[in-house]
Amino acid sequence: MEKEVYDQFFRAEEVHWWFRARRRVIRSLLNDLLPPKKLAIADVGCGTGGMLSLLAGYGEVTGVDEAPEAREYCRRRGFDRILTPTEWQAVPERYDLVTAFDVVEHVADDAGFLRSMAERLAPGGHLVVTVPAYMFLWSTFDEMNHHQRRYNRKTLRAAFAAAGLTLSRLTHFNAFLLPPMVVVRLAEKLLKSDPTDPQAKQEALERWFRVGPLNGALEGVFAAERHWLARADFPAGSSIFAVAQPEAAR
């Protein structure tokens, strides 16, 4: 991730509709998944720490990120247990929950990365992952975040299978706002916007993180999906939520 994106993430994660609504949706999904006890948790690729407060509500959380800028922002949020990937691999602790929120798409060997996280699970533990969906939604923002790919259900299932993991849930989310997102992406393509152009990147960064008058309404629409997800899965959406365990643990 480029340095200016870390700066923007840190400022936006508490106020921007996408971050706020995503936390509400994921909290609801985790409430349905996790037992009512204090858990050992690791958030891999924790970035600037926007999910750490949510996870801390379920137990003791360790943040893991390779970028020193990200780790410093986490500490500014008040979290001291923040490790590099090398430091984390050296810790013998096993975890009831390992999370990677919008991280797997950054990694060239996604199956190997999933496997390495699952190896840190305690018996009965869960690996929880979110990823962006659909290559046709590829944009300047994906370029700025150094994404390797976006997923669909088939490609994400294949990555988990190659890692030796069994999925217990796989659902799209951010479904209600998918139609306008598709329109925006199509407009960008028709205008032949170059996602690698530096000026286009800067404009996209400013546009994405802008908090406008519809911020609250967009948060409400996105967050309302948690009521549906408590009962059923979405067949489409701009993101995918997955829960898995090692095959031997099933």
Side-chain angles (χ1 to χ4, degrees), residues 215-233:
N215 194 65
L218 291 170
E219 178 187 345
V221 171
F222 185 178
E225 295 183 1
R226 68 193 189 278
H227 302 299
W228 175 270
L229 288 166
R231 301 186 298 272
D233 294 341

Side-chain angles (χ1 to χ4, degrees), residues 144-155:
M144 292 197 69
N145 279 278
H146 297 174
H147 290 173
Q148 301 278 331
R149 68 195 75 79
R150 298 175 73 98
Y151 288 87
N152 57 41
R153 292 167 67 94
K154 181 179 179 180
T155 57

Side-chain angles (χ1 to χ4, degrees), residues 21-33 129-130 153 168-176 220-243:
R22 185 181 71 152
R23 283 195 296 271
R24 293 170 67 182
V25 169
I26 291 175
R27 179 183 292 111
S28 177
L29 291 164
L30 292 179
N31 286 344
D32 291 340
L33 172 70
V129 166
T130 62
R153 292 167 67 94
S168 56
R169 187 164 192 188
L170 183 69
T171 179
H172 282 271
F173 68 107
N174 202 0
F176 295 162
V221 171
F222 185 178
E225 295 183 1
R226 68 193 189 278
H227 302 299
W228 175 270
L229 288 166
R231 301 186 298 272
D233 294 341
F234 281 112
S238 69
S239 295
I240 305 176
F241 174 89
V243 182

